[in-house]
Amino acid sequence: MRVKTIGIFDSGIGGLSVLAKAREMMPDVDFIYYADTEHVPYGTKSREEIVNYSVEAAKFLIKKGAEAILVACNTATSMAVDTLRAVFDCPVVGMEPAVKPAVSHHPHERILVCATPATIGGEKLHELLRRNAEGAEVDLCALPELVVFAENGIFDSEIVSAYIRSRAAREDYSACVLGCTHFPYFKDSFRLVFPYAEMIDGTEGTVRRLCHVTGYERESSLDRGTVKYYNTGAAVSDTQTLAFYEELQRRVR
């Protein structure tokens, strides 16, 4: 029998960009979303901290009925996904920067990979580059403040684009990999800075992988899945926060 309930977690609201795609592609599944708002951002934390937070998030989601876990956070995937798979007896799907499709679409061209400091400093990204980026010119760019902007609802293109421009080495990239789930909220800002670059993120590929490992097949066109939201274990019920979460998901559709 296929999985009926899937737990998704992120350090904060970034994973809502992944939840939006999951709800679109798996419309009759029930989702439980866990934003670890007490510990956001993960991207500047130590590996030990990120592993501990990720294990606690997964434990909570499974206790609430999740039969599979989607780690909707590149940083948590980089630092903790192997531990989660060793600890929990359920499917665990992670995120990784979409280096492979970027190189495939733009062979022998210059590519920018944007992520958090923890992801950029982690071995998983560098192994990904060794496997998939042969022949490409790849620059790495840490953009930790984008997570802070998103968590504070700051989406002004000029403010954000000025920050991105201050961190980027150049602007003539053919592709820009958005290697953090918070970053798709800022595609307009990225396009202001990199007008000739294709914006690529791993969201759809990750959800396709989730469909595969959970054996997903839509059972009825009439069924509509539910979503429950939690902030570091506390149920989200106030209408203002729920409206903000839905608006963020509309922003990336």
Side-chain angles (χ1 to χ4, degrees):
M1 184 176 181
R2 74 172 176 86
V3 166
K4 299 285 189 180
T5 304
I6 294 174
I8 298 179
F9 80 86
D10 179 41
S11 61
I13 61 173
L16 293 170
S17 65
V18 187
L19 174 62
K21 180 59 69 173
R23 292 173 73 182
E24 175 188 320
M25 295 173 63
M26 309 172 79
D28 52 343
V29 167
D30 294 329
F31 292 99
I32 309 169
Y33 185 83
Y34 181 108
D36 194 7
T37 50
E38 285 188 11
H39 303 116
V40 65
Y42 281 4
T44 56
K45 300 290 194 300
S46 69
R47 174 185 291 273
E48 182 180 7
E49 288 174 309
I50 294 166
V51 169
N52 289 338
Y53 298 151
S54 298
V55 168
E56 288 305 310
K59 280 182 180 178
F60 179 87
L61 290 167
I62 291 170
K63 185 177 180 180
K64 289 295 182 180
E67 303 161 274
I69 301 295
L70 172 55
V71 186
C73 175
N74 289 271
T75 299
T77 298
S78 176
M79 298 295 173
V81 75
D82 291 339
T83 298
L84 296 177
R85 288 170 176 158
V87 170
F88 300 106
D89 187 22
C90 69
V92 178
V93 175
M95 302 279 302
E96 63 181 22
V99 171
K100 185 174 181 179
V103 173
S104 176
H105 295 177
H106 302 275
H108 309 294
E109 298 178 25
R110 187 169 287 276
I111 294 166
L112 180 66
V113 178
C114 300
T116 66
T119 297
I120 285 178
E123 176 59 27
K124 278 190 176 293
L125 174 58
H126 292 274
E127 175 60 27
L128 189 66
L129 292 170
R130 286 192 289 270
R131 292 198 317 265
N132 298 290
E134 184 177 354
E137 297 180 273
V138 179
D139 292 340
L140 305 179
C141 182
L143 296 170
E145 285 300 311
L146 289 190
V147 178
V148 179
F149 286 152
E151 293 295 327
N152 288 284
I154 300 171
F155 299 107
D156 183 282
S157 294
E158 292 185 5
I159 294 172
V160 176
S161 61
Y163 168 68
I164 296 170
R165 190 173 285 111
S166 74
R167 303 283 293 187
R170 53 197 293 168
E171 298 183 4
D172 59 338
Y173 294 101
S174 297
C176 180
V177 177
L178 306 180
C180 170
T181 56
H182 286 79
F183 292 2
Y185 300 132
F186 302 106
K187 282 186 178 179
D188 289 345
S189 299
F190 276 100
R191 290 189 180 106
L192 286 174
V193 181
F194 310 115
Y196 306 110
E198 179 186 5
M199 299 296 151
I200 302 175
D201 66 72
T203 302
E204 183 169 347
T206 298
V207 178
R208 289 190 185 280
R209 176 65 180 163
L210 179 66
C211 290
H212 174 72
V213 302
T214 59
Y216 175 74
E217 292 182 6
R218 189 169 182 179
E219 294 183 345
S220 170
S221 61
L222 300 177
D223 290 342
R224 302 299 300 177
T226 62
V227 184
K228 295 179 180 177
Y229 298 97
Y230 294 88
N231 288 350
T232 317
V236 177
S237 58
D238 65 285
T239 55
Q240 184 175 356
T241 301
L242 291 172
F244 178 52
Y245 284 2
E246 290 296 329
E247 176 57 31
L248 286 171
Q249 291 172 72
R250 286 191 291 271
R251 187 179 183 89
V252 295
R253 287 191 181 117

